[in-house]
Amino acid sequence: MDVGRVLTGLLCLGLFTGWNPGRDNREEVSPDTTAKKFTNPVFEPILADPTVVRAGDGWFYAYGTQDDWGDGKGSRLVPVVRSRDLVHWTYTGQAFENRPAWKDRGGIWAPDVVRVNGRYHLYYACSVWADADPGIGVAVADTPEGPFRDSGKLFLSSDIGVPNSIDPFYFEDGGTRYLFWGSYSEAAHQGTYGVPLAADGLSVPDFSAKFKIAAGDFEAVVIHRRNGYYYFIGSKEGCCDGAESRYHLRVGRSRQLRGPYTDREGRLLTGRGAGDTILQGDAVYAGPGHCSRIITDDNGTDWLLYHAIDRKQPYVPSKANRRVLMLDKVTWEEGWPLVGEGVPSDRMQAAPVFRK
């Protein structure tokens, strides 16, 4: 059991009191500098399940799962950090002033933030650990910093017929907006699915239009379009067992957004056990996974943010997993990606290049 997520659930139920989540508690934002070299982690103590969006002024904003960082300020309702270069990150506050009310209990997990129709949409999961009926909602803000105003529930697992419906991911293709989601399950209808969204991105018109692209031994899908392929990047195994976490990233690809997705050996991702490993733990970091979208710098180099756990410091005082924010280069060989050298980097390396 992930004690950190259990505590998050209890906080959402109001069984603990602490830090006031209002925007007036934001920390002072200091100017970033452009890095030439860096070492991991790029932000700590925690930014789990990261997503990143770039604003029109060149700032990057990253968001993470609700967590208690163990600093006496309580549980942050989706922490927000920002950077000019993906290396120097400054905490700016939290995305929500108040917890969304459409589900009576649950933490706000695995946000995905994108710009839609000139505004910022934050898709999120609401769940407690081992939740029998988690769901996905969406919130909207005029600026990437927020605060985000909740637009309510998109669906519960029971509404759409997909067990463990968490980990939303937004994607546009051919003029249609889609939501992808899904997480670990061995139940009937398990897996990662996609479904078309309404034109405004704020509702799902037809639950029956869902389609499956991967089995239920994946979670936290990211889809990346490159050179005529759609790449499915997902996480497998346990995210939150401290130094024993075995989380890792695997990939498959397809010529069509809706699949079928296969790995290098031609195995369908809709079958359990498939996918090629592109990032896994080593002696220093455990459980690397749940990545952001791929970000391309001004030199054309691809980068990926993800979380991992330092084996020597696996927890914060609140007992939450200390999932630090990591950054590594993505390289491509014969049309297939690899993150770093296949394990989290812990040495000095050249930084991304952004001129704006």
Side-chain angles (χ1 to χ4, degrees):
M1 176 180 290
D2 179 356
V3 176
R5 282 188 172 179
V6 171
L7 286 173
T8 293
L10 292 173
L11 283 158
C12 290
L13 282 167
L15 299 182
F16 289 88
T17 60
W19 183 55
N20 179 354
R23 302 297 293 181
D24 57 342
N25 284 288
R26 291 184 297 174
E27 296 176 11
E28 186 71 21
V29 177
S30 58
D32 284 337
T33 58
T34 300
K36 293 185 178 179
K37 292 185 177 181
F38 77 98
T39 56
N40 275 314
V42 293
F43 184 81
E44 51 190 331
I46 302 175
L47 201 78
D49 310 330
T51 183
V52 64
V53 66
R54 195 178 194 187
D57 59 3
W59 284 97
F60 290 97
Y61 289 81
Y63 311 77
T65 281
Q66 178 182 349
D67 258 313
D68 183 341
W69 292 1
D71 58 359
K73 295 184 177 180
S75 184
R76 290 168 169 85
L77 290 173
V78 180
V80 184
V81 298
R82 77 172 190 169
S83 172
R84 282 285 189 189
D85 56 14
L86 301 182
V87 172
H88 298 99
W89 292 93
T90 302
Y91 175 69
T92 68
Q94 55 183 6
F96 290 95
E97 292 180 335
N98 299 289
R99 178 189 170 276
W102 54 266
K103 194 171 186 294
D104 61 359
R105 64 189 189 120
I108 308 305
W109 296 355
D112 186 42
V113 179
V114 289
R115 195 171 185 186
V116 181
N117 296 332
R119 304 173 78 194
Y120 293 88
H121 287 197
L122 189 158
Y123 297 90
Y124 63 90
C126 189
S127 181
V128 295
W129 199 250
D131 197 329
D133 197 19
I136 290 173
V138 60
V140 179
D142 294 323
T143 67
E145 206 172 32
F148 284 81
R149 295 172 295 280
D150 192 44
S151 291
K153 178 185 72 169
L154 290 177
F155 51 78
L156 292 167
S157 301
S158 56
D159 294 330
I160 202 161
V162 176
N164 207 14
S165 285
I166 61 172
D167 297 343
F169 177 79
Y170 175 94
F171 196 84
E172 293 186 20
D173 188 63
T176 300
R177 297 184 164 108
Y178 294 89
L179 187 77
F180 291 85
W181 81 99
S183 186
Y184 298 145
S185 176
E186 296 182 358
H189 311 302
Q190 48 73 32
T192 295
Y193 285 77
V195 70
L197 290 166
D200 63 4
L202 298 177
S203 64
V204 178
D206 183 2
F207 291 166
S208 70
K210 68 181 185 290
F211 53 93
K212 184 175 179 177
I213 61 171
D217 56 350
F218 274 106
E219 71 172 15
V221 58
V222 165
I223 294 174
H224 181 71
R225 186 168 40 209
R226 183 179 190 270
N227 294 343
Y229 283 100
Y230 297 87
Y231 290 84
F232 174 108
I233 302 173
S235 299
K236 288 200 176 188
E237 298 197 61
C239 68
C240 306
D241 299 314
E244 304 305 314
S245 297
R246 298 179 63 184
Y247 222 33
H248 64 280
L249 292 179
R250 294 199 194 189
V251 69
R253 70 182 187 183
S254 173
R255 288 290 189 182
Q256 305 294 327
L257 175 64
R258 293 173 175 243
Y261 289 85
T262 59
D263 60 22
R264 286 194 190 213
E265 297 180 17
R267 297 177 296 178
L268 290 166
L269 296 197
T270 49
R272 301 178 79 91
D276 298 303
T277 299
I278 59 172
L279 180 69
Q280 60 187 333
D282 62 4
V284 179
Y285 287 103
H290 203 124
C291 64
S292 70
R293 286 173 166 78
I294 291 175
I295 309 129
T296 304
D297 73 11
D298 290 347
N299 282 352
T301 302
D302 288 335
W303 298 87
L304 196 71
L305 292 163
Y306 60 94
H307 74 239
I309 298 171
D310 185 335
R311 292 185 187 273
K312 292 183 178 179
Q313 303 179 72
Y315 300 103
V316 294
S318 67
K319 305 303 181 184
N321 282 262
R322 193 175 184 275
R323 294 181 284 176
V324 298
L325 184 64
M326 307 284 284
L327 175 68
D328 268 309
K329 186 184 301 183
V330 178
T331 56
W332 299 85
E333 181 178 340
E334 298 180 349
W336 292 92
L338 183 68
V339 183
E341 296 179 355
V343 296
S345 66
D346 61 348
R347 57 179 174 76
M348 188 77 69
Q349 61 177 308
V353 175
F354 297 102
R355 299 182 181 90
K356 182 177 178 180

